[in-house]
Structure formats: C-alpha cells, structure tokens
Amino acid sequence: MKIYLSAEAMTRARRRQAERPDIGGDALATDLRLRDESDAVRMRPASDAEQIDTTQLEVDDVVTRIVQLVQERLAASQR
C-alpha cells in the first residue's frame, strides 16, 4: 500500500516551527521553500497511492486513517 501525505504550507510551517523553535521566521521560510523545490522534483504521489491531506489532522488521526486504509485493503483482498 502506498500512502502520500500532504499539508498546506502554513500548517507545515507551524509544525516545523514547533519542532525547531530555535529557527527564525526567515530561515524557516527559506528552509521550507528549498525543501519544497527539492521534493517537487523527486516526490510525487504514485498513481495508485492513497493521498491524505493532514492539514486538519493530528498525528494520531493520521495513524488512525492509515490503519483504516490498511484494514480496508486487507478485507477487500480476502473477498
């Protein structure tokens, strides 16, 4: 099973700031921009990937959704 996680830029910035409170706003913006540019070239969802927008989700919600997807896939394969 392939899963592709995404989130809006402002949410990603807020999460990154929480992870690295020592980094300033300008450095954070530059870091995210460079990472997005790098990822855009090599990180695209596979055509058969389940895509989850995590913008409004907490980590536990994302894990729960992934577990649901796996269980649904397993149930479908056993039919």
Side-chain angles (χ1 to χ4, degrees):
M1 170 168 266
K2 299 170 192 158
I3 298 174
Y4 186 86
L5 304 177
S6 63
E8 293 177 0
M10 290 300 293
T11 299
R12 290 177 26 254
R14 188 181 71 249
R15 290 172 180 167
R16 179 61 62 90
Q17 186 69 49
E19 289 174 358
R20 299 196 50 204
D22 59 308
I23 191 169
D26 289 339
L28 176 68
T30 299
D31 180 55
L32 286 174
R33 182 183 52 77
L34 292 173
R35 185 174 177 178
D36 285 350
E37 289 171 1
S38 171
D39 288 352
V41 174
R42 58 186 172 78
M43 298 287 292
R44 294 195 177 107
S47 61
D48 60 342
E50 295 286 344
Q51 296 188 44
I52 302 173
D53 182 347
T54 67
T55 302
Q56 301 295 321
L57 302 175
E58 297 296 325
V59 172
D60 289 343
D61 300 322
V62 175
V63 172
T64 298
R65 181 66 184 131
I66 292 170
V67 168
Q68 275 181 321
L69 290 168
V70 169
Q71 290 173 338
E72 290 169 7
R73 179 74 57 94
L74 286 172
S77 71
Q78 294 174 355
R79 291 183 196 148

mmCIF file of all heavy atoms in Angstrom, residues 8-17 19-20 23-40:
data_model
loop_
_atom_site.group_PDB
_atom_site.id
_atom_site.type_symbol
_atom_site.label_atom_id
_atom_site.label_comp_id
_atom_site.label_asym_id
_atom_site.label_seq_id
_atom_site.Cartn_x
_atom_site.Cartn_y
_atom_site.Cartn_z
ATOM 1 N N GLU A 8 -1.082 21.815 3.942
ATOM 2 C CA GLU A 8 -0.931 23.172 3.436
ATOM 3 C C GLU A 8 0.367 23.777 3.969
ATOM 4 O O GLU A 8 0.841 23.428 5.057
ATOM 5 C CB GLU A 8 -2.122 24.023 3.863
ATOM 6 C CG GLU A 8 -3.420 23.598 3.214
ATOM 7 C CD GLU A 8 -4.619 24.390 3.700
ATOM 8 O OE1 GLU A 8 -4.469 25.291 4.562
ATOM 9 O OE2 GLU A 8 -5.719 24.094 3.217
ATOM 10 N N ALA A 9 0.929 24.702 3.207
ATOM 11 C CA ALA A 9 2.222 25.297 3.548
ATOM 12 C C ALA A 9 2.220 25.954 4.926
ATOM 13 O O ALA A 9 3.183 25.800 5.686
ATOM 14 C CB ALA A 9 2.630 26.306 2.476
ATOM 15 N N MET A 10 1.184 26.679 5.264
ATOM 16 C CA MET A 10 1.144 27.349 6.570
ATOM 17 C C MET A 10 1.119 26.332 7.717
ATOM 18 O O MET A 10 1.748 26.546 8.739
ATOM 19 C CB MET A 10 -0.079 28.273 6.660
ATOM 20 C CG MET A 10 0.017 29.485 5.768
ATOM 21 S SD MET A 10 1.439 30.540 6.141
ATOM 22 C CE MET A 10 0.977 31.131 7.746
ATOM 23 N N THR A 11 0.427 25.247 7.534
ATOM 24 C CA THR A 11 0.381 24.204 8.553
ATOM 25 C C THR A 11 1.750 23.558 8.697
ATOM 26 O O THR A 11 2.227 23.324 9.815
ATOM 27 C CB THR A 11 -0.676 23.138 8.187
ATOM 28 O OG1 THR A 11 -1.948 23.769 8.116
ATOM 29 C CG2 THR A 11 -0.697 22.001 9.189
ATOM 30 N N ARG A 12 2.399 23.290 7.575
ATOM 31 C CA ARG A 12 3.736 22.694 7.622
ATOM 32 C C ARG A 12 4.714 23.636 8.306
ATOM 33 O O ARG A 12 5.570 23.207 9.089
ATOM 34 C CB ARG A 12 4.200 22.333 6.211
ATOM 35 C CG ARG A 12 3.399 21.158 5.674
ATOM 36 C CD ARG A 12 3.717 20.730 4.249
ATOM 37 N NE ARG A 12 5.025 21.039 3.786
ATOM 38 C CZ ARG A 12 5.319 22.018 2.894
ATOM 39 N NH1 ARG A 12 4.372 22.742 2.373
ATOM 40 N NH2 ARG A 12 6.542 22.220 2.515
ATOM 41 N N ALA A 13 4.586 24.936 8.034
ATOM 42 C CA ALA A 13 5.464 25.923 8.667
ATOM 43 C C ALA A 13 5.243 25.950 10.181
ATOM 44 O O ALA A 13 6.205 25.996 10.955
ATOM 45 C CB ALA A 13 5.213 27.300 8.065
ATOM 46 N N ARG A 14 3.994 25.920 10.609
ATOM 47 C CA ARG A 14 3.683 25.919 12.038
ATOM 48 C C ARG A 14 4.251 24.659 12.705
ATOM 49 O O ARG A 14 4.841 24.732 13.783
ATOM 50 C CB ARG A 14 2.166 26.010 12.236
ATOM 51 C CG ARG A 14 1.749 26.215 13.677
ATOM 52 C CD ARG A 14 0.248 26.292 13.878
ATOM 53 N NE ARG A 14 -0.346 24.972 13.668
ATOM 54 C CZ ARG A 14 -1.127 24.629 12.664
ATOM 55 N NH1 ARG A 14 -1.427 25.494 11.725
ATOM 56 N NH2 ARG A 14 -1.615 23.402 12.570
ATOM 57 N N ARG A 15 4.110 23.526 12.038
ATOM 58 C CA ARG A 15 4.634 22.274 12.599
ATOM 59 C C ARG A 15 6.150 22.310 12.680
ATOM 60 O O ARG A 15 6.748 21.865 13.664
ATOM 61 C CB ARG A 15 4.175 21.087 11.752
ATOM 62 C CG ARG A 15 2.691 20.814 11.882
ATOM 63 C CD ARG A 15 2.231 19.770 10.906
ATOM 64 N NE ARG A 15 0.805 19.505 11.027
ATOM 65 C CZ ARG A 15 0.101 18.832 10.144
ATOM 66 N NH1 ARG A 15 0.693 18.312 9.070
ATOM 67 N NH2 ARG A 15 -1.191 18.650 10.319
ATOM 68 N N ARG A 16 6.777 22.811 11.649
ATOM 69 C CA ARG A 16 8.245 22.895 11.637
ATOM 70 C C ARG A 16 8.731 23.841 12.738
ATOM 71 O O ARG A 16 9.717 23.557 13.409
ATOM 72 C CB ARG A 16 8.734 23.365 10.266
ATOM 73 C CG ARG A 16 10.240 23.526 10.131
ATOM 74 C CD ARG A 16 11.005 22.223 10.357
ATOM 75 N NE ARG A 16 10.682 21.213 9.402
ATOM 76 C CZ ARG A 16 11.314 21.030 8.250
ATOM 77 N NH1 ARG A 16 12.333 21.777 7.933
ATOM 78 N NH2 ARG A 16 10.929 20.072 7.447
ATOM 79 N N GLN A 17 8.024 24.957 12.931
ATOM 80 C CA GLN A 17 8.400 25.916 13.981
ATOM 81 C C GLN A 17 8.303 25.245 15.349
ATOM 82 O O GLN A 17 9.157 25.456 16.204
ATOM 83 C CB GLN A 17 7.501 27.144 13.934
ATOM 84 C CG GLN A 17 7.926 28.232 14.895
ATOM 85 C CD GLN A 17 9.223 28.895 14.507
ATOM 86 O OE1 GLN A 17 9.390 29.285 13.370
ATOM 87 N NE2 GLN A 17 10.143 29.027 15.439
ATOM 88 N N GLU A 19 8.712 22.081 15.948
ATOM 89 C CA GLU A 19 9.806 21.115 16.034
ATOM 90 C C GLU A 19 11.140 21.804 16.281
ATOM 91 O O GLU A 19 12.022 21.242 16.925
ATOM 92 C CB GLU A 19 9.918 20.322 14.730
ATOM 93 C CG GLU A 19 8.823 19.345 14.493
ATOM 94 C CD GLU A 19 8.944 18.712 13.103
ATOM 95 O OE1 GLU A 19 9.860 19.067 12.330
ATOM 96 O OE2 GLU A 19 8.105 17.853 12.787
ATOM 97 N N ARG A 20 11.287 23.003 15.696
ATOM 98 C CA ARG A 20 12.570 23.708 15.782
ATOM 99 C C ARG A 20 12.354 25.153 16.225
ATOM 100 O O ARG A 20 12.464 26.080 15.426
ATOM 101 C CB ARG A 20 13.254 23.677 14.418
ATOM 102 C CG ARG A 20 13.549 22.252 13.969
ATOM 103 C CD ARG A 20 14.520 22.159 12.851
ATOM 104 N NE ARG A 20 15.711 22.929 13.100
ATOM 105 C CZ ARG A 20 16.509 23.401 12.127
ATOM 106 N NH1 ARG A 20 16.218 23.150 10.877
ATOM 107 N NH2 ARG A 20 17.585 24.086 12.402
ATOM 108 N N ILE A 23 14.798 28.125 15.234
ATOM 109 C CA ILE A 23 14.976 28.667 13.886
ATOM 110 C C ILE A 23 14.078 29.897 13.708
ATOM 111 O O ILE A 23 12.933 29.912 14.132
ATOM 112 C CB ILE A 23 14.689 27.588 12.818
ATOM 113 C CG1 ILE A 23 15.131 28.045 11.439
ATOM 114 C CG2 ILE A 23 13.239 27.216 12.794
ATOM 115 C CD1 ILE A 23 15.112 26.942 10.391
ATOM 116 N N GLY A 24 14.637 30.947 13.119
ATOM 117 C CA GLY A 24 13.896 32.179 12.903
ATOM 118 C C GLY A 24 12.922 32.068 11.740
ATOM 119 O O GLY A 24 12.992 31.147 10.927
ATOM 120 N N GLY A 25 12.007 33.018 11.669
ATOM 121 C CA GLY A 25 10.969 33.011 10.639
ATOM 122 C C GLY A 25 11.515 33.014 9.225
ATOM 123 O O GLY A 25 11.039 32.266 8.366
ATOM 124 N N ASP A 26 12.512 33.867 8.952
ATOM 125 C CA ASP A 26 13.084 33.930 7.603
ATOM 126 C C ASP A 26 13.795 32.634 7.242
ATOM 127 O O ASP A 26 13.663 32.125 6.131
ATOM 128 C CB ASP A 26 14.055 35.110 7.473
ATOM 129 C CG ASP A 26 13.346 36.457 7.478
ATOM 130 O OD1 ASP A 26 12.130 36.489 7.175
ATOM 131 O OD2 ASP A 26 14.002 37.473 7.793
ATOM 132 N N ALA A 27 14.556 32.105 8.188
ATOM 133 C CA ALA A 27 15.262 30.844 7.947
ATOM 134 C C ALA A 27 14.263 29.707 7.744
ATOM 135 O O ALA A 27 14.462 28.845 6.880
ATOM 136 C CB ALA A 27 16.201 30.527 9.107
ATOM 137 N N LEU A 28 13.187 29.732 8.496
ATOM 138 C CA LEU A 28 12.150 28.715 8.361
ATOM 139 C C LEU A 28 11.515 28.776 6.979
ATOM 140 O O LEU A 28 11.362 27.754 6.309
ATOM 141 C CB LEU A 28 11.078 28.896 9.435
ATOM 142 C CG LEU A 28 9.886 27.959 9.353
ATOM 143 C CD1 LEU A 28 10.320 26.536 9.666
ATOM 144 C CD2 LEU A 28 8.797 28.408 10.299
ATOM 145 N N ALA A 29 11.171 29.983 6.535
ATOM 146 C CA ALA A 29 10.557 30.148 5.212
ATOM 147 C C ALA A 29 11.506 29.677 4.116
ATOM 148 O O ALA A 29 11.088 28.995 3.173
ATOM 149 C CB ALA A 29 10.167 31.606 4.996
ATOM 150 N N THR A 30 12.775 30.021 4.243
ATOM 151 C CA THR A 30 13.767 29.598 3.252
ATOM 152 C C THR A 30 13.923 28.083 3.269
ATOM 153 O O THR A 30 13.953 27.440 2.219
ATOM 154 C CB THR A 30 15.128 30.270 3.531
ATOM 155 O OG1 THR A 30 14.958 31.687 3.440
ATOM 156 C CG2 THR A 30 16.179 29.812 2.549
ATOM 157 N N ASP A 31 13.998 27.503 4.456
ATOM 158 C CA ASP A 31 14.131 26.055 4.601
ATOM 159 C C ASP A 31 12.963 25.333 3.937
ATOM 160 O O ASP A 31 13.162 24.383 3.173
ATOM 161 C CB ASP A 31 14.222 25.696 6.084
ATOM 162 C CG ASP A 31 14.360 24.203 6.324
ATOM 163 O OD1 ASP A 31 15.285 23.592 5.765
ATOM 164 O OD2 ASP A 31 13.534 23.652 7.078
ATOM 165 N N LEU A 32 11.746 25.777 4.199
ATOM 166 C CA LEU A 32 10.571 25.136 3.617
ATOM 167 C C LEU A 32 10.529 25.303 2.099
ATOM 168 O O LEU A 32 10.187 24.377 1.369
ATOM 169 C CB LEU A 32 9.287 25.680 4.243
ATOM 170 C CG LEU A 32 9.000 25.194 5.654
ATOM 171 C CD1 LEU A 32 7.785 25.915 6.224
ATOM 172 C CD2 LEU A 32 8.801 23.704 5.706
ATOM 173 N N ARG A 33 10.895 26.492 1.623
ATOM 174 C CA ARG A 33 10.894 26.730 0.179
ATOM 175 C C ARG A 33 11.890 25.827 -0.524
ATOM 176 O O ARG A 33 11.575 25.186 -1.535
ATOM 177 C CB ARG A 33 11.201 28.203 -0.136
ATOM 178 C CG ARG A 33 11.171 28.528 -1.622
ATOM 179 C CD ARG A 33 11.545 29.978 -1.897
ATOM 180 N NE ARG A 33 12.785 30.396 -1.277
ATOM 181 C CZ ARG A 33 14.008 30.101 -1.718
ATOM 182 N NH1 ARG A 33 14.150 29.353 -2.795
ATOM 183 N NH2 ARG A 33 15.074 30.548 -1.108
ATOM 184 N N LEU A 34 13.095 25.724 0.023
ATOM 185 C CA LEU A 34 14.116 24.864 -0.582
ATOM 186 C C LEU A 34 13.702 23.394 -0.532
ATOM 187 O O LEU A 34 13.894 22.657 -1.498
ATOM 188 C CB LEU A 34 15.462 25.066 0.125
ATOM 189 C CG LEU A 34 16.121 26.417 -0.085
ATOM 190 C CD1 LEU A 34 17.357 26.559 0.804
ATOM 191 C CD2 LEU A 34 16.471 26.628 -1.550
ATOM 192 N N ARG A 35 13.115 23.003 0.575
ATOM 193 C CA ARG A 35 12.660 21.621 0.696
ATOM 194 C C ARG A 35 11.547 21.323 -0.306
ATOM 195 O O ARG A 35 11.527 20.275 -0.948
ATOM 196 C CB ARG A 35 12.186 21.370 2.119
ATOM 197 C CG ARG A 35 11.806 19.952 2.372
ATOM 198 C CD ARG A 35 11.501 19.758 3.827
ATOM 199 N NE ARG A 35 11.074 18.393 4.058
ATOM 200 C CZ ARG A 35 10.768 17.910 5.226
ATOM 201 N NH1 ARG A 35 10.838 18.668 6.275
ATOM 202 N NH2 ARG A 35 10.371 16.671 5.346
ATOM 203 N N ASP A 36 10.611 22.253 -0.460
ATOM 204 C CA ASP A 36 9.518 22.071 -1.427
ATOM 205 C C ASP A 36 10.057 21.959 -2.847
ATOM 206 O O ASP A 36 9.599 21.132 -3.628
ATOM 207 C CB ASP A 36 8.515 23.220 -1.350
ATOM 208 C CG ASP A 36 7.613 23.134 -0.136
ATOM 209 O OD1 ASP A 36 7.628 22.098 0.553
ATOM 210 O OD2 ASP A 36 6.888 24.124 0.109
ATOM 211 N N GLU A 37 11.022 22.812 -3.184
ATOM 212 C CA GLU A 37 11.601 22.763 -4.526
ATOM 213 C C GLU A 37 12.295 21.434 -4.764
ATOM 214 O O GLU A 37 12.154 20.834 -5.829
ATOM 215 C CB GLU A 37 12.578 23.927 -4.718
ATOM 216 C CG GLU A 37 11.898 25.276 -4.825
ATOM 217 C CD GLU A 37 12.881 26.438 -4.807
ATOM 218 O OE1 GLU A 37 14.114 26.208 -4.721
ATOM 219 O OE2 GLU A 37 12.408 27.591 -4.862
ATOM 220 N N SER A 38 13.037 20.969 -3.787
ATOM 221 C CA SER A 38 13.736 19.690 -3.905
ATOM 222 C C SER A 38 12.741 18.543 -4.001
ATOM 223 O O SER A 38 12.862 17.650 -4.843
ATOM 224 C CB SER A 38 14.650 19.493 -2.700
ATOM 225 O OG SER A 38 15.181 18.201 -2.682
ATOM 226 N N ASP A 39 11.724 18.564 -3.145
ATOM 227 C CA ASP A 39 10.726 17.495 -3.126
ATOM 228 C C ASP A 39 9.891 17.471 -4.397
ATOM 229 O O ASP A 39 9.493 16.396 -4.852
ATOM 230 C CB ASP A 39 9.800 17.633 -1.918
ATOM 231 C CG ASP A 39 10.478 17.275 -0.602
ATOM 232 O OD1 ASP A 39 11.622 16.770 -0.645
ATOM 233 O OD2 ASP A 39 9.865 17.516 0.449
ATOM 234 N N ALA A 40 9.614 18.620 -4.965
ATOM 235 C CA ALA A 40 8.766 18.690 -6.161
ATOM 236 C C ALA A 40 9.360 17.884 -7.312
ATOM 237 O O ALA A 40 8.632 17.303 -8.114
ATOM 238 C CB ALA A 40 8.552 20.133 -6.573
#
